[in-house]
Amino acid sequence: MSENIENTNDLDVGEKTAVVAILGRPSSGKSTFMNTACQEPVSIVSPIPQTTRNAIRGIVNTSFGQLVFVDTPGYHESDKKLNLRLKSVTEEQLKDSDCILYIIDTTREPGSEEEMNVSLAAKYADRMVIALNKTDAKESNVPAVRAFVAAHIKDFPQERTLEMSAKNNEGINEVLKALYSIAPVQPPLYTEDMYTDQNIGFRIAEIIRGEAITRLTQELPHCLYVDIADIENRGNNGKMWVRAFLCVERESQKGMVIGKGAAMIKAIRMASLKKIADVFPFKIDLDLQVKVDKNWRQHDNVLNKIIPQ
């Protein structure tokens, strides 16, 4: 998709590179946008909100230069320890980025959560592009969202407020062009063949967590994390062996993740292996187990491991 952007005279064409932090409330479409822009499954996409826990990088290379997107956790109000850590990740990425992409879901009333996001976004208006997402949905109310933006960010340039459907790959090129228009001229950070800088262990852990999230209900998706215990190269054929644990907070949750006759953990493992095979050019064997890490969301040592500061 992104390589089809055509050079136009309205852009200051040069060797441009920008780290672009993506801001938005949970389920606004941040991860979907990044996966569509990168043409690869870089970040977990789920209807369950607050599934992104790390600042995940996706890289887009075009004739204009390089955009390094950072998919941040959905910014929302919460005083829980884990969620406070997630908010801190988002705030730090905004400070350190060259540009901001603020994505707004046009199918939902702004409310207090969007008020919090737009207040944060307004601090970076000089280096920001706003994308009004989900405009393909019948519930979309673009005029109301435009009025909301105008009321909270005075005199924001109309040419940097764009409509898109990240899910349907509509309007993505226009958003990229707007970001290139404000990106600084500087050399690329990564080679052209890269679409993410995630290491193998992190990617495998996110794939497993994503497959678990799609199959588990209620609070379970937020009560688990993936611990990659071992990664070994075995033999001379490039095969890799990985032992991973799906960690939950209570014994009762462990039984739910394993499932009757171990059906659930088998389904998660097989789906993970299928997706892993699509991502990596070498064979990976996965030993996937479940263990209890009691009240892990309250433990700094675990939070520091899965969400580094």
Side-chain angles (χ1 to χ4, degrees), residues 24-25 84 153 239 264 288:
R25 65 200 288 196
L84 290 173
I153 308 179
K239 181 184 289 188
M264 179 61 74
L288 183 60

Side-chain angles (χ1 to χ4, degrees), residues 15-33:
E15 193 178 42
K16 291 194 166 189
T17 296
V19 175
V20 183
I22 307 176
L23 171 68
R25 65 200 288 196
S27 298
S28 60
K30 302 183 304 299
S31 298
T32 300
F33 168 84

Side-chain angles (χ1 to χ4, degrees), residues 126-199:
D126 61 325
R127 52 186 172 97
M128 182 169 66
V129 169
I130 298 176
L132 311 183
N133 194 25
K134 305 184 184 180
T135 56
D136 59 302
K138 63 180 181 180
E139 304 89 355
S140 175
N141 190 344
V142 171
V145 175
R146 285 188 176 275
F148 171 82
V149 171
H152 289 81
I153 308 179
K154 300 297 183 183
D155 302 319
F156 190 77
Q158 288 299 306
E159 65 271 18
R160 285 197 268 132
T161 305
L162 302 157
E163 299 174 20
M164 73 174 185
S165 169
K167 179 181 177 181
N168 293 340
N169 193 5
E170 298 171 356
I172 304 294
N173 279 349
E174 287 69 29
V175 172
L176 295 179
K177 287 179 182 179
L179 287 166
Y180 278 119
S181 73
I182 60 173
V185 175
Q186 54 187 354
L189 298 172
Y190 300 96
T191 59
E192 288 188 4
D193 61 332
M194 291 186 66
Y195 63 86
T196 184
D197 65 351
Q198 300 168 12
N199 63 44

Side-chain angles (χ1 to χ4, degrees), residues 78-94:
S78 174
D79 58 0
K80 293 182 179 179
K81 196 166 192 175
L82 172 61
N83 292 327
L84 290 173
R85 178 70 65 90
L86 298 180
K87 285 178 66 176
S88 175
V89 169
T90 298
E91 290 166 357
E92 288 303 313
Q93 290 301 321
L94 294 179

Side-chain angles (χ1 to χ4, degrees), residues 185-241:
V185 175
Q186 54 187 354
L189 298 172
Y190 300 96
T191 59
E192 288 188 4
D193 61 332
M194 291 186 66
Y195 63 86
T196 184
D197 65 351
Q198 300 168 12
N199 63 44
I200 292 175
F202 180 83
R203 295 215 71 192
I204 292 174
E206 285 292 275
I207 288 171
I208 296 169
R209 191 166 69 92
E211 294 304 321
I213 284 171
T214 63
R215 289 165 174 79
L216 299 170
T217 58
Q218 300 173 353
E219 275 297 301
L220 265 177
H222 301 297
C223 298
L224 61 84
Y225 74 93
V226 177
D227 178 26
I228 303 295
D230 297 289
I231 297 180
E232 296 179 7
N233 290 314
R234 293 188 169 179
N236 298 320
N237 57 0
K239 181 184 289 188
M240 183 173 288
W241 175 79

